[in-house]
Amino acid sequence: VLQTLTGRNVYNGGKGGESSTQIKDRMILDNGKYFYSVIIEAGRNNFSDSTTVLADIASMVAALGHTRYIILSVPNGSAEPNPSTGYSQIIAINNRLSAIYGAHYLDFRSYLVSQYNPGIPQDVIDHANDVPPSSLRIDAVHYTATGYSLIANYIYSQKITTLVPATAK
């Protein structure tokens, strides 16, 4: 979706189920892509170890050597409603990411929560629990095509100038 929106090639290097450390290790080994604009989404699979998540993301950003990157929020799933320990851990990481990365941070988690359908009872429950709505998820944490499309459009509308300098558009 981002490729269509930007008219530029997009490489998706994500692999499901990886911890932030596994993502960092793969990224740092693949230094041929350091010049790419980068979207980092890491920490979902090891959010209970916030020190590691924050250190891994900092290592990835430091390895880039440029400022064409954004850091996406860590999303919560149906097992981490507000209030819960998992929810508190995820919100604490997101608050730190926002404080550290400022304009390079994008809270897509809150955006997705706001996209609930008030006509679907489970979505209303999810919204009340501050969880991305079930109508946009295929399971507890992964999104439908519509969910991913919303995320891509949100990135494009909010942060595309961070990824693609005005002269390159």
Side-chain angles (χ1 to χ4, degrees):
V1 174
L2 270 176
Q3 184 165 306
T4 300
L5 292 169
T6 63
R8 298 172 63 92
N9 290 331
V10 173
Y11 168 75
N12 180 352
K15 291 190 178 190
E18 289 190 336
S19 69
S20 61
T21 302
Q22 291 169 307
I23 295 166
K24 174 203 52 138
D25 291 346
R26 273 191 318 104
M27 180 189 159
I28 289 180
L29 285 173
D30 196 2
N31 61 7
K33 294 185 178 70
Y34 282 14
F35 63 92
Y36 288 10
S37 295
V38 177
I39 298 170
I40 297 172
E41 182 186 0
R44 167 66 222 166
N45 293 319
N46 61 320
F47 66 81
S48 63
D49 186 0
S50 64
T51 301
T52 297
V53 170
L54 294 168
D56 288 341
I57 291 172
S59 293
M60 287 185 265
V61 169
L64 291 174
H66 63 72
T67 60
R68 294 180 328 277
Y69 68 89
I70 59 170
I71 307 298
L72 295 180
S73 57
V74 176
N76 58 318
S78 60
E80 299 91 29
N82 183 16
S84 70
T85 299
Y87 177 85
S88 296
Q89 292 169 323
I90 288 169
I91 296 304
I93 290 172
N94 288 336
N95 289 340
R96 289 292 300 139
L97 290 172
S98 178
I100 294 166
Y101 298 103
H104 289 273
Y105 171 77
L106 183 63
D107 183 5
F108 84 93
R109 186 205 71 80
S110 293
Y111 171 72
L112 280 186
V113 170
S114 76
Q115 298 303 297
Y116 77 105
N117 182 335
I120 300 175
Q122 185 59 51
D123 273 18
V124 173
I125 293 167
D126 291 337
H127 184 260
N129 290 327
D130 204 25
V131 173
S134 60
S135 65
L136 298 177
R137 292 184 279 115
I138 60 170
D139 58 25
V141 296
H142 299 99
Y143 303 107
T144 63
T146 300
Y148 285 117
S149 181
L150 283 169
I151 294 167
N153 277 281
Y154 190 61
I155 292 168
Y156 182 76
S157 71
Q158 299 297 309
K159 296 293 181 182
I160 197 60
T161 56
T162 302
L163 296 174
V164 181
T167 58
K169 283 188 182 177

